[in-house]
Amino acid sequence: MNKFLIPLTFMCVHVAHAQESRELKGKVLDAVTLKPVVGATVVVESSAVAEDIGVPNQVQQSALGSLTDAAGEFRLKVPSNLKYVTISYVGYQRIQVPVFQDHKTILLQPSGESLDEVIVTGYTDIKKRKNTTAYNKINVADIKQTGVASIDEMLAGQVAGLQLSNFNGGPNSAPQIRIRGTVSLNGTQDPLWVIDGLPIEGTAMPNRIDKDDLNSLTNLPIAGINPDDIADITVLKDAAATSIYGARAANGVIVITTKRGKPGPAKLQVSANTFVTQRPDFGKLNLMDASEKIDFELLMADRTDLNYRTDKGAVMRILNKANALDAYRSGGLAALSPEVQQSINQLRTQQTDWGKELYRQAVNQQYSASISGGNDGHRYYLSSGFYDEKGATKAVDLRRYSLTLNNDFTINDRFKAGINLLGSVSNRQNPIQDRDAFTNPSYYVRSVNPYLSIYDQSGKFNYDPDIEGFEKDTYIPFNAIEERENTKYTLTNKALKAISYLEYAILPQLSLRTELGLQFDENKTEKFADQESYNTRKLRAATRYYDAASKTNKYFLPVGGTIENSNNSVFQYNWKTYLKYNKTWNDRHELDVMGGTELRRSKSEIVTTKGFGYNPATLTTQTLIFPNSTYQNDSRFVQYRKGFVESSYASFYGNATYTFDRKYNLYASIRQDGSNMFGVDPKYRFLPIWSISGSWNVLEEEFIKGKTALSDLRVRASYGTQGNIDRNTYPFIVGYYNNITMLPGNNEGTVFVDMPANDKLRWEKTQSYNAGIDLGLWKNRLNITVDYYNRKSTDLIDYSAIPLENGFQNVKVNWASARNQGVELTISSRQIQTDKFSWSTDFNIAHNNNKLLKVLANPKAYSLETQVGRPINGLYVLETAGLDKDGVMQFRNQDGTVSSFEEFYGLYDPWAEFLPGYISQTDMTAAEYRAKFKYKGSKDPKFVGGMTNRFRYANFDLAISAVFNLERWVTRTPTYNPGFGRSGAELHCRSVEGGSKGLKYARIGKYKF
């Protein structure tokens, strides 16, 4: 029989080739994104051809067809009498297309079981129709932005309920991220980041933001990942979605999935981008120019009632030097000598554009290249990237190199394996910004006098005489340009993440998978300040002491610069093993079960060294010799410091999903975490985390299926617990080593303990409710998701008072409580969708209400930071009530009455009897001072969200995005602060006619203090 069939088949083939043929040309696009579908098959069904493969009694069949290329294009010769071709691709609905003339664009609709509809949790993948949780999945290709260094920055405004705030304006600065509010007072408040299943260590950022602080370079471990290597991001929000991660997931989980190779020919992609960093437009601040500032100083000089800091401002210094102040006040400019008038008028011509001196417009570069492909046995993805950004502030730069290699192996029909390598090297640099506020460019550019020149007539740096740069009553010269040229602060990060897996299919429905993840991060910082810098000069002034032998002041800081190096290394391993089982029976019941164990250990070690008298030419330092023991514990002069933190976790977990008739889904999850950070008391050694949730796919019901414009309608609800760790608190006695001098010449080591041990300390817990609805209309042209959540956090670690006979005032215990509740709305629409043009919009908005239910203020703090019934990030102020008749600030009490400055602070003169008017003093306690603060509002926005409009025409794309934070209280440095006594350009330019001397004077606006 076989011998007869083979010749017959070849005969048919010969006849087919003899027939006339025609060529089809077309393009296959995704019907949703309108992007090319690469590798789609275009075949002529029933065109099977048998080929002899040299094996007795066996033939190989092939079909007439073609594959789409990188642009989605295909060409195929078919018989002229053919009526249909079939087009298909994994994750899309298979369609038959009538044979067409010319060129045709074909749209493939994603199927209900498409790959894009899978939710990646980091442990298992969940089909969207089975989902019961609150999550957001983002395709990175949709949010990718040129000129954004890190993926975390791209999330701003893209996820409902996610709030992102930058710590400073430098390139690639680590942001602060909050998902659905804040659930801890002192513990970690940042979400957990997961990359290809590996939970990343070192992602906790400070809980407070200082946006003007350029002097603290920080780096997120995910910052080294090239955004071009990321396929998608899934943000897990409610307890049902995050409970599988246990005690680290109360702040939400962000799961990153990197790109992987697909079977097929090698695919090469190259991307090159250039973007421009704009210099800030300080003209919008309406600052004074040199002439207007001179007019203002003349007005101030005329005021006889202003007798404080009379040496500030060039006009006052000229008048005082010429002994002409009284003459000016009695007769105006005409009473001054020609020389004095010329000196004052000369200042009007000395205009320095400090905005251009401190800031710049820079051209930046971003490049990446990748190659991917493979076959059924091996799939690969290899990429490299280069990113070079210059910040708007001069000498603030970032340069990063990245390399990614992903490999997946199908060893046989039972074994699968893979390994991912993600490496990066980045370098960031700033000038050193001293702790004095005026040395920060964003402040100095607004406060420096516009007539101050950078260099004097001899070409040397011209120092600013109006800054408050003092140390031990010594004026410290400062020049912003000199500081930039003679100081350098660098952060170098080297990171490697290695993730490997091995999966074995025990049965078709049962598989065993083990994953090992390793993380290496090394952050090196170096601060160098030359001898000729404000930073070093100020430190040198702090080392002044009186030498009794020579009866002169001396300095123990050696001549030369200062250098400080810090090396922070992080290592962790994460090993998890789990079984997965899935079964479907009677075409109505579906069960997915997973259970396993996880071991994790991490160690962070930091070594800091300081050198003094540093010579950058010889790379040497000098010995620091203290004149006495007073300075040996001063942190500024500690030359070596080392510390490390180790943590270990052992976990057991499991989850299960049951689906009935594709309509009803039930999901449950449980996890037990144990750690060396807690568990002194065995009762609290393990923390059980669990959740239960369900969903109803309404459109699967017979009474509505196919009868409405609805394409998706799902109702969800979940309840569960989440855990959190306060890494700043331990159940043990914590001591701080120090040295003191008991007798002259003898140092004694000491241990300082400020709080007793508490062996009952345990994990912080959050109970979370969530209810949501997912709605799709008109074949998902319009999608709406609404979620409501209520999260109550208990066992938060905070202060609690204890009897003084214990030897301590307070102890940290698990007793504080807080609540977060809110609503999230996400809307996605595709208004226009044609072959050549499309317009889509994504919009989200969220509201979160945060409230402390139980809390005790820090008994040692003078400022109020927390209060029952108020948000965790509340803003508390001392309310002022204007100025009194003498121009002194007044305050409003809690009962609404007004108190003078002296009454409000309880000031008195302790030396009134023998040296009156020299000092003032108050006996107010910390508790009394805290009681004077009033709640003003929340520093967290009432509403957060964003909107993005995307337009596409042919091969051109345009995206317009907006991010908003509404009704958020913030603090700012006043444009004019008389308390600083500054006389710079920060005064807004408001000129009025007239004045006692016939000049145009800039007047001070009315401010409520």
Side-chain angles (χ1 to χ4, degrees):
M1 178 67 70
N2 290 330
K3 293 181 180 180
F4 172 75
L5 287 177
I6 293 175
L8 179 61
T9 303
F10 276 104
M11 183 183 302
C12 295
V13 173
H14 176 75
V15 173
H17 279 286
Q19 295 177 348
E20 293 184 4
S21 63
R22 60 191 298 182
E23 186 176 49
L24 298 181
K25 299 178 182 179
K27 176 186 287 189
V28 180
L29 301 179
D30 184 301
V32 177
T33 65
L34 296 181
K35 294 182 177 180
V37 178
V38 182
T41 58
V42 184
V43 298
V44 177
E45 293 192 346
S46 302
S47 63
V49 178
E51 302 176 47
D52 188 353
I53 59 175
V55 180
N57 300 324
Q58 292 187 23
V59 295
Q60 175 176 291
Q61 286 191 330
S62 60
L64 185 61
S66 176
L67 294 175
T68 57
D69 60 17
E73 298 278 355
F74 70 89
R75 301 177 70 173
L76 175 65
K77 284 188 176 183
V78 299
S80 59
N81 62 349
L82 187 68
K83 293 183 178 180
Y84 295 95
V85 292
T86 301
I87 303 176
S88 63
Y89 189 69
V90 177
Y92 291 87
Q93 296 177 7
R94 182 188 184 95
I95 62 173
Q96 280 190 330
V97 179
V99 173
F100 47 85
Q101 299 287 340
D102 301 324
H103 187 281
K104 184 179 179 65
T105 299
I106 300 157
L107 302 180
L108 282 186
Q109 290 286 347
S111 66
E113 305 294 334
S114 70
L115 295 178
D116 291 338
E117 298 295 318
V118 172
I119 304 165
V120 180
T121 67
Y123 285 85
T124 58
D125 298 340
I126 302 173
K127 295 177 181 178
K128 184 178 179 180
R129 67 176 177 84
K130 295 183 178 183
N131 177 57
T132 62
T133 68
Y135 79 100
N136 284 92
K137 184 174 182 178
I138 304 168
N139 189 329
V140 173
D142 294 334
I143 65 171
K144 183 180 176 182
Q145 303 173 40
T146 300
V148 176
S150 181
I151 190 63
D152 48 0
E153 299 178 51
M154 297 184 186
L155 293 178
Q158 302 295 332
V159 178
L162 186 147
Q163 176 192 340
L164 185 145
S165 304
N166 285 320
F167 282 97
N168 63 59
N172 206 27
S173 63
Q176 182 190 80
I177 297 177
R178 297 290 180 265
I179 298 176
R180 291 188 168 184
T182 303
V183 298
S184 181
L185 296 174
N186 303 294
T188 303
Q189 299 178 0
D190 299 273
L192 174 68
W193 290 84
V194 179
I195 301 177
D196 290 337
L198 173 64
I200 299 302
E201 187 71 20
T203 58
M205 291 291 105
N207 293 337
R208 298 289 184 268
I209 286 182
D210 182 3
K211 63 180 179 61
D212 291 328
D213 182 15
L214 290 177
N215 208 44
S216 296
L217 291 179
T218 53
N219 186 81
L220 269 178
I222 63 155
I225 298 177
N226 186 353
D228 288 341
D229 294 335
I230 299 176
D232 57 60
I233 301 173
T234 304
V235 180
L236 310 178
K237 297 189 282 192
D238 68 343
T242 64
S243 60
I244 192 65
Y245 284 98
R248 295 168 289 168
N251 303 299
V253 181
I254 301 177
V255 182
I256 294 176
T257 304
T258 59
K259 294 179 179 178
R260 314 192 79 83
K262 297 178 181 179
K267 180 181 178 182
L268 176 65
Q269 287 188 322
V270 179
S271 173
N273 296 286
T274 298
F275 57 98
V276 176
T277 301
Q278 293 285 342
R279 181 174 55 240
D281 183 5
F282 292 100
K284 294 181 179 179
L285 297 181
N286 198 24
L287 300 175
M288 289 182 179
D289 60 23
S291 182
E292 292 162 342
K293 183 56 170 50
I294 295 304
D295 288 341
F296 176 77
E297 290 189 19
L298 288 170
L299 174 64
M300 301 296 284
D302 188 46
R303 294 274 299 271
T304 58
D305 58 326
L306 300 179
N307 55 10
Y308 181 57
R309 295 177 178 171
T310 55
D311 60 333
K312 298 302 179 184
V315 169
M316 204 64 168
R317 285 190 290 271
I318 291 173
L319 294 176
N320 287 332
K321 183 177 180 181
N323 199 23
L325 180 58
D326 292 337
Y328 169 71
R329 287 176 173 175
S330 61
L333 284 174
L336 300 178
S337 66
E339 292 79 9
V340 174
Q341 292 188 42
Q342 182 180 0
S343 298
I344 294 175
N345 290 329
Q346 178 66 29
L347 294 174
R348 299 180 187 274
T349 65
Q350 299 177 192
Q351 180 71 41
T352 300
D353 190 340
W354 284 97
K356 290 184 178 180
E357 297 295 339
L358 298 174
Y359 292 87
R360 65 186 171 186
Q361 180 171 296
V363 178
N364 308 291
Q365 307 168 73
Q366 183 178 9
Y367 305 97
S368 64
S370 67
I371 184 170
S372 63
N375 51 43
D376 292 338
H378 174 220
R379 296 163 301 283
Y380 62 88
Y381 176 87
L382 173 65
S383 80
S384 62
F386 172 71
Y387 185 90
D388 185 12
E389 181 180 357
K390 296 174 175 58
T393 307
K394 289 184 177 181
V396 177
D397 304 305
L398 162 69
R399 178 168 289 188
R400 183 189 67 207
Y401 305 86
S402 61
L403 182 68
T404 299
L405 175 62
N406 290 348
N407 284 281
D408 295 286
F409 304 93
T410 301
I411 302 172
N412 54 41
D413 58 352
R414 288 180 178 269
F415 271 108
K416 295 180 181 179
I419 184 169
N420 303 0
L421 298 175
L422 299 97
S424 66
V425 176
S426 63
N427 182 274
R428 294 171 57 193
Q429 65 178 32
N430 295 344
I432 294 180
Q433 309 297 324
D434 195 84
R435 293 182 179 179
D436 292 337
F438 57 79
T439 64
N440 188 291
S442 64
Y443 177 81
Y444 190 74
V445 74
R446 294 179 287 117
S447 61
V448 62
N449 279 311
Y451 51 72
L452 180 67
S453 58
I454 299 174
Y455 303 98
D456 60 19
Q457 295 179 350
S458 63
K460 296 181 179 179
F461 285 112
N462 192 24
Y463 297 110
D464 190 343
D466 289 317
I467 67 165
E468 298 301 316
F470 283 88
E471 184 69 33
K472 290 190 173 181
D473 300 326
T474 301
Y475 169 74
I476 313 298
F478 173 77
N479 181 288
I481 309 304
E482 178 191 54
E483 203 69 8
R484 185 178 70 208
E485 294 181 357
N486 291 347
T487 66
K488 190 174 183 180
Y489 180 16
T490 60
L491 166 63
T492 301
N493 170 260
K494 297 178 181 178
L496 176 64
K497 299 167 185 67
I499 307 159
S500 61
Y501 73 89
L502 182 64
E503 185 171 344
Y504 175 67
I506 304 172
L507 298 171
Q509 301 87 9
L510 179 66
S511 64
L512 175 66
R513 184 181 176 101
T514 183
E515 297 180 13
L516 176 64
L518 304 175
Q519 177 188 352
F520 305 87
D521 272 283
E522 184 178 70
N523 293 289
K524 292 184 178 181
T525 65
E526 180 174 286
K527 292 183 179 181
F528 165 68
D530 191 70
Q531 178 179 344
E532 295 302 324
S533 67
Y534 174 84
N535 189 283
T536 300
R537 283 192 288 260
K538 185 171 183 179
L539 184 64
R540 179 174 173 79
T543 66
R544 187 185 70 192
Y545 68 97
Y546 181 74
D547 181 43
S550 62
K551 297 182 180 180
T552 59
N553 288 325
K554 292 186 177 181
Y555 302 87
F556 66 81
L557 187 73
V559 175
T562 61
I563 189 167
E564 178 180 347
N565 294 89
S566 176
N567 187 1
N568 184 12
S569 60
V570 177
F571 168 75
Q572 77 141 329
Y573 72 81
N574 186 285
W575 182 28
K576 58 185 177 184
T577 302
Y578 54 89
L579 281 167
K580 293 189 296 183
Y581 175 79
N582 59 80
K583 182 176 178 60
T584 301
W585 64 97
N586 298 335
D587 292 329
R588 303 188 71 185
H589 305 277
E590 299 175 65
L591 179 65
D592 298 277
V593 180
M594 185 270 287
T597 64
E598 182 173 349
L599 299 175
R600 183 167 75 96
R601 185 176 182 86
S602 65
K603 181 177 181 179
S604 174
E605 182 176 285
I606 184 169
V607 177
T608 303
T609 61
K610 289 183 181 180
F612 304 96
Y614 178 71
N615 186 334
T618 62
L619 306 180
T620 57
T621 59
Q622 301 180 43
T623 304
L624 193 65
I625 302 176
F626 297 117
N628 51 59
S629 60
T630 305
Y631 299 94
Q632 64 183 9
N633 292 318
D634 192 320
S635 60
R636 294 174 296 179
F637 307 111
V638 174
Q639 299 174 65
Y640 180 85
R641 180 176 291 145
K642 180 179 180 179
F644 65 91
V645 176
E646 288 183 295
S647 61
S648 302
Y649 295 83
S651 308
F652 307 90
Y653 54 85
N655 62 29
T657 301
Y658 171 71
T659 301
F660 174 72
D661 203 20
R662 299 177 63 93
K663 302 176 185 177
Y664 314 107
N665 301 290
L666 182 65
Y667 173 82
S669 175
I670 188 169
R671 179 173 177 129
Q672 281 264 96
D673 276 335
S675 173
N676 64 332
M677 299 184 67
F678 296 113
V680 174
D681 189 328
K683 181 180 178 181
Y684 305 116
R685 184 162 297 164
F686 286 91
L687 173 68
I689 299 292
W690 60 272
S691 68
I692 186 169
S693 58
S695 66
W696 175 30
N697 296 328
V698 182
L699 290 188
E700 293 293 333
E701 299 288 353
E702 294 298 330
F703 66 83
I704 196 173
K705 182 182 292 186
K707 299 178 181 179
T708 69
L710 293 173
S711 51
D712 185 21
L713 180 57
R714 182 183 296 105
V715 180
R716 298 174 281 103
S718 69
Y719 172 76
T721 60
Q722 298 167 295
N724 196 37
I725 301 172
D726 183 354
R727 298 187 179 219
N728 301 313
T729 306
Y730 300 91
F732 317 102
I733 293 179
V734 178
Y736 303 92
Y737 290 101
N738 209 337
N739 289 298
I740 63 171
T741 301
M742 302 295 293
L743 295 173
N746 293 302
N747 289 330
E748 294 288 341
T750 62
V751 178
F752 173 72
V753 178
D754 65 349
M755 195 167 296
N758 179 7
D759 62 354
K760 306 299 181 185
L761 276 180
R762 54 194 179 273
W763 316 78
E764 299 179 334
K765 295 190 291 290
T766 297
Q767 298 173 323
S768 177
Y769 302 84
N770 191 94
I773 183 170
D774 302 317
L775 177 66
L777 294 166
W778 305 297
K779 295 183 178 179
N780 288 333
R781 293 287 292 269
L782 176 65
N783 290 278
I784 302 173
T785 298
V786 181
D787 276 282
Y788 165 79
Y789 60 88
N790 191 325
R791 310 171 68 200
K792 182 180 179 182
S793 302
T794 57
D795 281 348
L796 302 186
I797 298 177
D798 197 29
Y799 292 96
S800 180
I802 57 176
L804 290 178
E805 53 264 29
N806 290 280
F808 302 92
Q809 282 186 306
N810 303 276
V811 64
K812 282 191 173 182
V813 298
N814 296 86
W815 79 285
S817 177
R819 184 188 302 278
N820 287 271
Q821 57 182 341
V823 179
E824 299 170 347
L825 171 65
T826 302
I827 301 175
S828 298
S829 63
R830 302 195 307 275
Q831 294 88 312
I832 300 175
Q833 182 174 302
T834 65
D835 292 352
K836 287 190 175 182
F837 179 74
S838 67
W839 171 28
S840 63
T841 302
D842 293 320
F843 171 81
N844 71 82
I845 187 171
H847 163 68
N848 181 71
N849 182 30
N850 175 275
K851 182 185 293 186
L852 284 164
L853 305 179
K854 290 196 304 181
V855 71
L856 177 69
N858 185 346
K860 299 179 181 179
Y862 278 82
S863 60
L864 185 62
E865 295 184 350
T866 56
Q867 195 175 63
V868 173
R870 304 298 188 188
I872 290 180
N873 293 319
L875 176 63
Y876 301 90
V877 301
L878 299 174
E879 186 176 353
T880 57
L883 307 178
D884 62 16
K885 60 182 180 60
D886 298 319
V888 179
M889 191 180 297
Q890 300 179 114
F891 294 87
R892 196 172 303 279
N893 300 311
Q894 296 288 358
D895 59 3
T897 59
V898 176
S899 292
S900 66
F901 193 95
E902 291 84 357
E903 293 171 341
F904 188 79
Y905 288 105
L907 299 176
Y908 65 94
D909 188 348
W911 295 355
E913 296 183 357
F914 56 90
L915 192 59
Y918 189 76
I919 66 169
S920 60
Q921 182 174 311
T922 180
D923 295 331
M924 190 180 300
T925 64
E928 292 172 335
Y929 190 70
R930 289 196 305 270
K932 294 183 175 294
F933 282 84
K934 290 185 177 181
Y935 173 74
K936 195 66 177 179
S938 176
K939 289 185 282 188
D940 290 327
K942 191 173 183 179
F943 298 96
V944 298
M947 183 171 70
T948 302
N949 280 284
R950 297 182 179 88
F951 304 90
R952 182 195 64 84
Y953 179 76
N955 293 323
F956 296 92
D957 296 282
L958 172 65
I960 303 175
S961 300
V963 180
F964 54 84
N965 294 277
L966 306 178
E967 296 191 38
R968 178 185 190 181
W969 283 87
V970 298
T971 58
R972 70 178 179 91
T973 303
T975 305
Y976 174 65
N977 190 340
F980 290 148
R982 290 284 290 149
S983 50
E986 73 267 27
L987 302 183
H988 284 239
C989 175
R990 300 174 180 175
S991 296
V992 292
E993 297 290 339
S996 60
K997 302 299 181 289
L999 296 172
K1000 287 185 178 180
Y1001 293 111
R1003 63 180 170 84
I1004 303 176
K1006 295 181 179 179
Y1007 296 90
K1008 183 177 180 181
F1009 295 97

